[in-house]
């Protein structure tokens, strides 16, 4: 998701001033990284140029803080397209970790130890997220949950792979 | 720091089946310790031995310097009742008793009179937002509510150690989370330590640290080489 798309969605909910957009973005999308004003201005300028937002009637003078922005038909279509398109499932971890397992088996090292070390790393991250979750509001909790469910899925794959290591070793060496 | 509970070199066989073949566990005061591992690896057996519910064939379990296998049955069960609390996966509440009576039960078994026992149980149910279920019997409660009552029952004696074996095993992720928030929140407030057996990493993540059981052992971490 880009900042521009998030702005369009925020503007589809209602027209907003530049300052209000930044606040709303930071609250709903920005969790770890609040926007700089520079990013707000350049994003709005680009959206204006591409005809995805308009500035309300007589408020065209003054800085972006003062101007009120409204999403256009084309902007709404962009939001629709963004929401319709599923995210590419991320496979980076699996492929990197799988490569390490194969690397360990090929070189006669302990693939189980590779998996154990990864399990520790994952569990440490999951404990930290669980702690954070306990202190956060609902939005924080759900974002932590998303990460937790993903790490959990990685771990399940890892346990599953651990069971098949002997078999895999035979194939790799054979 | 000295461990509150130490289990060393535990072996346990059921006929030809080895459930434990050299398992260790150290639990420090106030900590939450997860015990993970594949199905059949010996997690429950380790928990049962550590809690003095099962006597190991070899090895010893010491709680605050007292070796559990050296206590007679009466003393061992008194120690369990006073110092330990238990939460299992399911089926642990007495079906004929109300939620309130179930929570009061450990106190009643320890000789506390009905009225004060039920007063303490009611106060705990209230703290856990379960007051409206006090008169319900287990059969009238959802799985998640039953587990929360079970947590209340484990807490009512203000134990030093809570042994929990798959406490959320039969629950969906939302009720599982409620039970874990309750269990770990209450344990942290009262300073109780928790042994948390689970194969679910999201549940284990509530712990401060974890051990893994494999084939009845709790092996130290091996190097990659
Ligand atoms: N009372 C018993 N009688 C006979 N065998 C038993 C008994 N309790 C456990 N076992 C055996 O000991 C081994 C370890 O069992 P245990 O219940 O400790 O595993 P676990 O790690 O808790 O598994 P799970 O995740 O499935 O609960 C298994 O092979 C099991 O069949
Ligand atoms: Mg078990």
């Amino acid at each position: 998701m880009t900042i521009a798309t998030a702005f369009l969605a925020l503007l589809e909910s209602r027209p907003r001033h530049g300052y209000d957009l930044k606040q709303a973005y930071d609250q709903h999308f920005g969790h770890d990284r609040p926007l700089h004003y520079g990013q707000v201005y350049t994003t709005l300028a680009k959206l204006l140029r591409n005809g995805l937002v308009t500035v309300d009637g007589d408020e065209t003078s003054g800085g972006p803080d003062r101007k009120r922005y409204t999403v256009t038909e084309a902007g709404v279509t962009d939001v629709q397209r963004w929401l319709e398109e599923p995210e590419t499932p991320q496979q980076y971890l699996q492929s990197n970790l799988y490569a390490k397992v194969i690397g360990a088996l090929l070189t006669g090292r302990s693939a189980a130890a590779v998996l154990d070390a990864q399990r520790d790393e994952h569990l440490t991250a999951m404990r930290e997220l669980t702690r954070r979750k306990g202190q956060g509001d609902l939005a924080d909790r759900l974002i932590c949950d998303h990460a937790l469910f993903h790490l959990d899925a990685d771990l399940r794959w890892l346990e599953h792979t651990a069971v098949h290591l002997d078999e895999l070793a035979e194939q790799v060496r054979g | 720091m000295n461990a509150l509970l130490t289990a060393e070199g535990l072996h346990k066989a059921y006929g030809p089946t080895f459930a434990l073949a050299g398992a260790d566990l150290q639990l420090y005061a106030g900590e939450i310790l997860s015990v993970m591992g594949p199905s059949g690896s010996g997690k429950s057996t380790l928990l049962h031995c550590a809690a003095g519910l099962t006597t190991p064939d070899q090895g010893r379990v010491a709680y605050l310097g007292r070796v559990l296998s050296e206590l007679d049955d009466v003393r061992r069960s008194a120690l369990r009742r006073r110092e330990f609390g238990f939460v299992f996966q399911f089926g642990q509440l007495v079906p004929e008793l109300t939620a309130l009576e179930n929570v009061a039960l450990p106190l009643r078994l320890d000789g506390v009179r009905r009225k004060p026992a039920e007063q303490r149980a009611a106060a705990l149910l209230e703290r856990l937002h379960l007051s409206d279920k006090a008169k319900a019997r287990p059969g009238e409660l959802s799985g998640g509510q039953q587990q929360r009552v079970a947590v209340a029952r484990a807490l009512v004696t203000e134990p030093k150690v809570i042994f929990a074996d798959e406490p959320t095993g039969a629950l969906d992720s939302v009720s599982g989370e409620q039970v874990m928030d309750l269990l770990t929140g209450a344990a942290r407030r009262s300073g109780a330590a928790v042994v948390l057996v689970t194969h679910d990493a999201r549940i284990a993540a509530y712990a401060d640290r974890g051990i893994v059981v494999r084939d009845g052992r709790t092996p130290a971490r091996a190097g990659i080489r």
Side-chain angles (χ1 to χ4, degrees), chain B residues 67-81:
Chain B
V67 178
L68 298 190
S69 59
E70 290 170 3
L71 302 175
D72 60 35
D73 284 351
V74 175
R75 275 172 211 206
R76 195 165 50 236
S77 63
L79 183 142
R80 268 200 319 261
R81 268 200 322 271

Side-chain angles (χ1 to χ4, degrees), chain B residues 142-159:
Chain B
S142 73
Q145 289 162 347
Q146 288 182 36
Q147 282 311 81
R148 283 153 61 205
V149 171
V151 169
R153 194 180 61 177
L155 291 166
V156 77
T157 54
E158 299 177 358

Side-chain angles (χ1 to χ4, degrees), chain A residues 2 15 27 38 44 57 70 82 96 103 109 112 117 119 129-130 132-133 141-142 166 172-173:
Chain A
T2 61
Q27 184 191 345
L44 283 169
T70 303
W82 168 55
N96 288 345
R109 292 183 173 84
R119 178 185 305 102
L129 283 162
T130 303
R132 254 171 66 188
K133 214 175 114 173
R141 291 177 69 95
L142 291 175
D166 288 346
V172 167
R173 292 195 199 113

Side-chain angles (χ1 to χ4, degrees), chain B residues 81-114:
Chain B
R81 268 200 322 271
R82 285 173 200 157
E83 309 279 311
F84 300 164
F86 294 89
V87 187
F88 298 107
Q89 185 168 350
F90 42 53
Q92 52 196 312
L93 299 177
V94 182
E96 293 79 17
L97 300 182
T98 65
L100 182 76
E101 289 161 346
N102 264 289
V103 175
L105 190 60
L107 295 171
R108 298 284 289 137
L109 290 175
D110 209 27
V112 179
R113 299 172 72 89
R114 187 187 187 95

Side-chain angles (χ1 to χ4, degrees), chain B residues 40 42-45 89 165-166 197:
Chain B
K43 303 181 297 293
S44 296
T45 308
Q89 185 168 350
D165 192 351
E166 302 281 5
V197 167

Side-chain angles (χ1 to χ4, degrees), chain A residues 30-48:
Chain A
H31 284 273
D32 290 331
R33 280 177 286 158
L35 284 183
H36 303 297
Y37 280 103
Q39 292 172 292
V40 177
Y41 303 150
T42 52
T43 303
L44 283 169
K46 198 179 81 192
L47 289 173
L48 268 173

